[in-house]
Amino acid sequence: MSKIVVVGVNHAGTACINTILDNYSNEEVVAFDGNSNISFLGCGMALWIGRQIKGPEGLFYSSKEKLEEKGATIHMECEVNRIDYEQKKVFAKDIHGNEHEESYDKLILASGSLPIIPNLPGKDLENVQQVKLFQNAKEVIEKLEYQAIQDIVVVGAGYIGVELAEAFKRVDKNVTLIDIADTTLSGYYDPDFTCLMDKNMEEHKITLALNQKVVEIKGTTKCEAVVTDKATYKADMVILAIGFKPNTSLGADQLKLFKNGAFEVDEHQETSMKDVYAIGDCATVYDNASDAKSYIALATNAVRSGIVAAHNACGTPLASIGVQGSNAISVFGLNLVSTGMSVKKATALGFDVAFTDYEDYQKASFIESNNEKVRIKIVYDKKSRVILGAQLASRHDISLGIHMFSLAIQEKVTIDKLKLLDTFFLPHFNQPYNYITMAALNAK
């Protein structure tokens, strides 16, 4: 029997622990987490805040009790403050001041990520909120009950910021969304797709303050306004949703780091030190679209990395097949999905990029009800013709289509292979010459 210590028990850590306990009966698992809860699905936070779901209960899929029933030892509200990599020991202190020392044979770091908090004047004022943990969402919801909170400013127009802007508007607040970029969702989609979301937000009376830099949050004890380099916006609450950074303080001076500070790992999730693995938001991934190591913080990537590390730590070789960064957002009925690289990102990375796009109705024209338009863009390399990315937008649920493109990128499928792809046709679902086929046929 060997002892495996896991530092961090959210998505990556939970997947890792479950994989070990479900497949290896002779392994001892001890885990530490500084939080009071496990497995909170932050992607559902906006649904809870916007009252689209009844409560937070369904946003948890595991717990200390569930993992301990399987045989693990779980220390909650217990912060790991030091790791002796030479002696293979982990040191931690719990909420009651008790100190813990645990030796290990294999160590799995699942320390996650931390919110990026800009060094702004006024960032510590009351009602300036973070939005990552269950406790953050709970605090925001409790404060929304106060009549005094009517004007909410969200800083950051990535996925979380856009979703939260929708949530606050759904509970009848005045919402301003600020970002230094000139469009929402600029890190995921090209402008012809982001403009759809911009229009969608404005149609729902959300004020977009784009291409603006926040310079100050004003107030005495509570926030009162957000000042940018172009304007001032009234704010009874400010949400900082700028992004996240890998939490790697426990190994920054011992393990090799990626350019953004994440732990660099190989295809087995092992770090630069033998018997030490890193998973989830604290670690790199291999991006099949760019054929290079990257940092893509998604719960799906975290779960996969936890499974891979678990098997390798238990002596069963298993290599990651890489990721494509597949993602999606649905706001006020508008669905955007993407995988791989946008034209903007591929060009920035030095690819000689081409793309093909198309727009048509999802179903045959004689289907008069529940028939929405779909816009698609397929990005590919000019020389090799290999698909690098895809983006789709519709008010119809077109999300399953992105899985095919994810596999296409992983397997280096060319755009020309899609031209005569055997896709089925039935008027209830699609058209005989559907948007995927037509986009591929239009590729030059």
Side-chain angles (χ1 to χ4, degrees):
M1 176 184 286
S2 61
K3 183 190 289 185
I4 300 172
V5 171
V6 181
V7 179
V9 196
N10 205 36
H11 303 309
T14 298
C16 180
I17 293 167
N18 277 325
T19 302
I20 295 170
L21 298 177
D22 291 345
N23 294 278
Y24 303 95
S25 58
N26 61 335
E27 302 292 351
E28 180 184 357
V29 178
V30 179
F32 296 89
D33 197 290
N35 203 352
S36 60
N37 55 75
I38 288 173
S39 77
F40 177 63
L41 290 165
C43 55
M45 187 185 306
L47 296 174
W48 180 25
I49 292 172
R51 298 175 187 166
Q52 291 175 270
I53 58 176
K54 292 180 180 179
E57 295 77 19
L59 300 178
F60 296 93
Y61 59 87
S62 190
S63 65
K64 169 183 167 73
E65 292 73 26
K66 287 182 179 179
L67 296 178
E68 290 193 330
E69 282 175 9
K70 287 187 170 187
T73 300
I74 309 293
H75 299 284
M76 298 300 297
E77 297 183 281
C78 190
E79 287 280 357
V80 173
N81 47 51
R82 185 168 69 90
I83 298 173
D84 187 331
Y85 290 97
E86 295 288 332
Q87 299 298 317
K88 289 191 168 184
K89 290 184 178 180
V90 170
F91 300 88
K93 181 182 286 190
D94 65 28
I95 195 172
H96 305 294
N98 301 312
E99 295 188 350
H100 300 259
E101 178 182 322
E102 199 74 51
S103 61
Y104 64 84
D105 297 301
K106 302 289 177 69
L107 176 66
I108 300 176
L109 299 170
S111 46
S113 57
L114 299 170
I116 296 172
I117 306 299
N119 189 23
L120 290 170
K123 67 181 176 63
D124 297 319
L125 289 169
E126 188 177 342
N127 294 339
V128 177
Q129 307 289 144
Q130 298 179 28
V131 282
K132 182 171 176 61
L133 304 176
F134 163 74
Q135 296 93 315
N136 300 147
K138 185 172 181 290
E139 183 180 4
V140 167
I141 288 170
E142 289 172 351
K143 288 183 176 182
L144 289 177
E145 297 299 320
Y146 294 110
Q147 190 66 29
I149 295 182
Q150 292 297 319
D151 295 286
I152 300 179
V153 173
V154 180
V155 181
Y159 270 169
I160 294 173
V162 168
E163 289 172 340
L164 288 172
E166 177 198 24
F168 293 128
K169 179 54 67 174
R170 284 184 178 274
V171 292
D172 298 321
K173 303 301 179 182
N174 304 316
V175 184
T176 301
L177 181 60
I178 301 176
D179 200 284
I180 197 169
D182 58 5
T183 182
T184 61
L185 306 178
S186 61
Y188 306 93
Y189 299 90
D190 286 313
D192 47 337
F193 280 75
T194 59
C195 70
L196 300 176
M197 185 58 74
D198 293 353
K199 182 180 178 183
N200 186 40
M201 302 290 277
E202 290 177 331
E203 285 177 347
H204 286 88
K205 311 302 181 186
I206 291 172
T207 300
L208 297 184
L210 301 171
N211 198 24
Q212 297 189 34
K213 180 181 178 180
V214 175
V215 296
E216 182 183 4
I217 301 173
K218 282 191 171 182
T220 50
T221 57
K222 297 179 180 180
C223 64
E224 298 173 8
V226 174
V227 181
T228 74
D229 54 355
K230 295 181 179 178
T232 298
Y233 302 93
K234 185 180 178 184
D236 303 313
M237 178 183 285
V238 178
I239 306 293
L240 297 177
I242 295 172
F244 302 98
K245 59 184 179 182
N247 180 16
T248 54
S249 59
L250 288 170
D253 59 344
Q254 299 281 321
L255 308 175
K256 186 178 180 181
L257 302 180
F258 191 56
K259 58 187 176 183
N260 74 328
F263 294 125
E264 274 206 23
V265 296
D266 62 15
E267 68 271 23
H268 301 110
Q269 298 299 141
E270 193 166 24
T271 67
S272 56
M273 184 175 291
K274 189 178 184 303
D275 296 332
V276 178
Y277 301 81
I279 58 179
D281 288 4
C282 69
T284 57
V285 296
Y286 191 84
D287 182 357
N288 288 318
S290 62
D291 268 332
K293 284 185 179 179
S294 186
Y295 182 75
I296 305 174
L298 293 169
T300 47
N301 292 345
V303 168
R304 283 190 289 268
S305 68
I307 293 170
V308 170
H311 285 293
N312 284 289
C314 293
T316 302
L318 178 65
S320 169
I321 59 174
V323 305
Q324 289 71 249
S326 303
N327 60 88
I329 189 169
S330 181
V331 170
F332 295 123
L334 176 62
N335 308 309
L336 300 183
V337 296
S338 75
T339 190
M341 295 187 288
S342 63
V343 172
K344 178 182 175 182
K345 182 176 179 181
T347 302
L349 290 176
F351 285 85
D352 189 9
V353 180
F355 68 89
T356 177
D357 52 16
Y358 193 76
E359 184 177 65
D360 201 355
Y361 284 97
Q362 170 72 23
K363 304 173 187 177
S365 58
F366 55 81
I367 302 292
E368 296 180 358
S369 63
N370 192 29
N371 193 7
E372 300 283 352
K373 280 191 172 182
V374 182
R375 180 178 293 189
I376 182 172
K377 173 183 278 189
I378 307 172
V379 184
Y380 59 97
D381 182 84
K382 276 185 182 179
K383 184 177 180 181
S384 69
R385 312 284 288 174
V386 168
I387 295 171
L388 301 175
Q391 302 161 59
L392 290 91
S394 181
R395 291 192 174 275
H396 185 79
D397 181 0
I398 37 78
S399 59
L400 283 176
I402 211 66
H403 298 315
M404 183 199 73
F405 284 105
S406 180
L407 182 61
I409 296 168
Q410 177 185 297
E411 298 302 312
K412 308 299 181 188
V413 174
T414 66
I415 185 66
D416 303 303
K417 285 282 188 180
L418 290 187
K419 292 182 177 181
L420 296 177
L421 178 67
D422 179 15
T423 56
F424 84 96
F425 161 64
L426 191 67
H428 306 69
F429 300 104
N430 61 358
Q431 298 198 50
Y433 288 92
N434 63 66
Y435 51 87
I436 295 175
T437 302
M438 292 305 298
L441 286 169
N442 287 339
K444 305 300 183 183

